[in-house]
Amino acid sequence: MGRAKKVVLAYSGGVDTSVCIPYLKQEWGVEEVITLAADLGQGEELEPIREKALKSGASESLVADVRETFIKDYAFKAIQANAIYENRYPLATALARPLIAKALVETAQKYQADAIAHGCTGKGNDQVRFDVAVAAMNPHLKILAPAREWGMSREETIAYGERFGIPSPVKKSSPYSIDKNMLGRSIEAGLLEDPSYEPPEEIYEMTKAIANTPDEPEYIEIGFTKGIPTTLNGESQNPIEMISQLNQLVGNHGVGRIDMIENRLVGIKSREIYESPAMVALIQAHRDLESLTLTADVSHYKRGIEETYSQLIYNGLWFSPLKAALDAFIEKTQERVSGTIRMKLFKGNAIVVGRRSEHSLYNPELATYGAEDQFDHKAAEGFIYIWGLPTRIWSQQK
Ligand code: ARG
């Protein structure tokens, strides 16, 4: 008796997930492996990947185009929440995992599989995100993670695959571990494991080196409706176009590179390089529009919610009661976050240089230092007296 009869495997076409197919069947007695490759706009051709799964022994090989859901239901929520982990990482990889998990669970239900599987090792965050998301959606499904248990080195994994007709990587495979989707690229391992080593230029794909960016600044205007980016330079854009055009425009000016030491959920500190041009610009623009349209108290309170929200995305709690509750709060705050942000892109910077909104709370008659000033200066005195009273009493008592 094997660990499961019919398994739906998250499939990328790489060596590890390919080897999972014969491994599940040979070593763990699985009868049928159905693979599922998600199209998250990673810009790879998926038909060869689909065929590779069949050649590696899958009984069925599926491709799911989840790009639009990914942007609308995941990226846009993250933007409304200004979700950035540890002040740096816009969570491209972390946001994709619950969506892949959802597709796995739905496929398992459709094909009456009794387990899902993934190729994550036991050291990363992604295994946590898959396992917890699957459990949240269907606690009866088994979760198989061969790479967490098989204990094979890279070479042994390739050799194992060759026994079952899985070709070893043709190109001398990249020394880095790279995860990639429309929201960004995550690059780790190899020489980057030395935190003092400067990332070589060749690892980047979505962003230009400053030396190669245009010598003239470029201006863009991003329009938001209720916290969701809807127009670019005055034209309506569908979610996928919005992200891909911004990736181009912003990446061309070298914006969106991040080099950080981050704290993984499993306790390890790791060195990560990210590039995420559209998300970096969008969150900056969105935050700025909030500063124009939210009251001070909502704005300040929301910062704490944003921190919690970022952590729960990172820590695999996308499908959780806390996330749902925070979503309700965030959605309420976004009712008036509509307007346009003007940004200047230049030499690695995306700088907000102007903002407009019909819900603007900025009141020129109160803010001005000119003759039109309507602010009651005399009222300040009484306000300050009462505001400072506790401090005054404390000072007198000393
Ligand atoms: N450290 C990042 C995260 O936890 C990225 C992980 C990327 N995975 C990879 N195979 N490179 O979200």
Side-chain angles (χ1 to χ4, degrees):
M1 247 295 282
R3 299 200 192 190
K5 273 201 163 101
K6 201 194 270 189
V7 172
V8 182
L9 168 70
Y11 189 66
S12 70
V15 176
D16 289 304
T17 53
S18 296
V19 167
C20 281
I21 302 171
Y23 193 92
L24 284 165
K25 298 190 344 187
Q26 298 298 321
E27 317 297 327
W28 288 2
V30 170
E31 287 166 21
E32 231 187 282
V33 178
I34 298 166
T35 57
L36 178 71
D39 183 355
L40 294 150
Q42 58 271 53
E44 258 167 340
E45 265 197 78
L46 288 165
E47 185 49 30
I49 290 177
R50 205 187 68 77
E51 282 162 25
K52 187 171 179 191
L54 295 172
K55 281 196 208 118
S56 309
S59 60
E60 183 104 44
S61 178
L62 309 167
V63 171
D65 180 356
V66 293
R67 289 173 304 158
E68 186 163 329
T69 313
F70 187 40
I71 306 303
K72 277 165 77 172
D73 298 348
Y74 293 73
F76 286 175
K77 294 257 184 256
I79 290 165
Q80 290 181 311
N82 300 320
I84 305 266
Y85 182 66
E86 294 185 339
N87 245 339
R88 310 285 307 279
Y89 166 40
L91 294 161
T93 296
L95 284 164
R97 296 300 176 264
L99 175 55
I100 298 169
K102 186 162 181 274
L104 291 171
V105 169
E106 285 165 3
T107 308
Q109 272 151 8
K110 183 164 159 204
Y111 286 82
Q112 293 176 328
D114 51 341
I116 70 97
H118 59 71
C120 300
T121 68
K123 280 179 78 166
N125 297 312
D126 288 333
Q127 51 165 348
V128 182
R129 297 167 184 153
F130 278 130
D131 291 14
V132 176
V134 168
M137 284 178 285
N138 185 342
H140 306 296
L141 275 173
K142 287 180 213 153
I143 299 162
L144 306 184
R148 201 152 56 190
E149 295 181 37
W150 64 32
M152 293 190 280
S153 68
R154 181 87 188 151
E155 295 70 33
E156 288 162 345
T157 310
I158 292 170
Y160 187 98
E162 278 174 339
R163 280 171 45 206
F164 296 94
I166 296 165
S168 62
V170 234
K171 297 177 278 183
K172 196 175 141 290
S173 69
S174 156
Y176 310 107
S177 163
I178 298 173
D179 180 66
K180 185 175 162 181
N181 63 50
M182 278 188 89
L183 302 184
R185 291 173 74 245
S186 306
I187 309 140
E188 57 192 30
L191 292 168
L192 299 170
E193 284 173 2
D194 174 358
S196 69
Y197 174 78
E198 180 176 351
E201 195 48 43
E202 81 225 17
I203 66 168
Y204 297 106
E205 272 178 17
M206 301 174 87
T207 53
K208 272 193 187 161
I210 304 295
N212 302 326
T213 60
D215 291 321
E216 293 297 321
E218 182 172 355
Y219 290 86
I220 55 169
E221 284 201 349
I222 304 171
F224 289 87
T225 309
K226 297 190 178 185
I228 288 168
T230 46
T231 67
L232 182 58
N233 294 329
E235 279 177 40
S236 309
Q237 297 294 350
N238 71 42
I240 295 175
E241 274 303 303
M242 186 78 192
I243 297 292
S244 48
Q245 290 201 30
L246 270 175
N247 274 332
Q248 282 289 334
L249 282 167
V250 176
N252 190 43
H253 288 271
V255 174
R257 290 187 178 183
I258 295 138
D259 174 350
M260 68 187 283
I261 304 295
E262 92 188 14
N263 292 295
R264 287 190 191 165
L265 179 58
V266 293
I268 303 169
K269 277 195 194 294
S270 65
R271 204 286 181 84
E272 305 279 337
I273 311 294
Y274 300 109
E275 46 180 357
S276 196
M279 286 301 274
V280 164
L282 281 168
I283 290 175
Q284 206 188 321
H286 175 261
R287 209 173 239 160
D288 196 279
L289 186 58
E290 285 192 334
S291 68
L292 189 67
T293 53
L294 297 185
T295 57
D297 55 356
V298 170
S299 189
H300 295 170
Y301 192 83
K302 186 167 179 279
R303 291 307 288 248
I305 300 286
E306 291 171 357
E307 182 63 26
T308 307
Y309 200 89
S310 311
Q311 284 171 9
L312 71 80
I313 294 173
Y314 189 85
N315 292 338
L317 297 178
W318 183 265
F319 298 110
S320 68
L322 178 59
K323 155 79 168 41
L326 298 186
D327 272 336
F329 172 85
I330 292 165
E331 198 183 321
K332 184 73 189 166
T333 64
Q334 299 301 292
E335 281 175 354
R336 289 162 167 268
V337 185
S338 302
T340 307
I341 295 294
R342 189 165 153 80
M343 281 186 132
K344 177 171 161 174
L345 309 173
F346 191 52
K347 297 289 174 200
N349 296 297
I351 306 157
V352 175
V353 291
R355 65 284 281 163
R356 266 178 283 128
S357 169
E358 53 184 285
H359 300 301
S360 170
L361 299 175
Y362 179 88
N363 186 328
E365 280 150 17
L366 291 177
T368 185
Y369 287 96
E372 317 78 68
D373 188 4
Q374 297 286 316
F375 186 78
D376 182 354
H377 288 242
K378 284 225 300 294
E381 196 182 330
F383 165 73
I384 296 164
Y385 175 73
I386 292 175
W387 166 250
L389 198 52
T391 310
R392 183 178 295 272
I393 292 167
W394 162 79
S395 173
Q396 282 164 350
Q397 210 280 330
K398 278 199 295 183

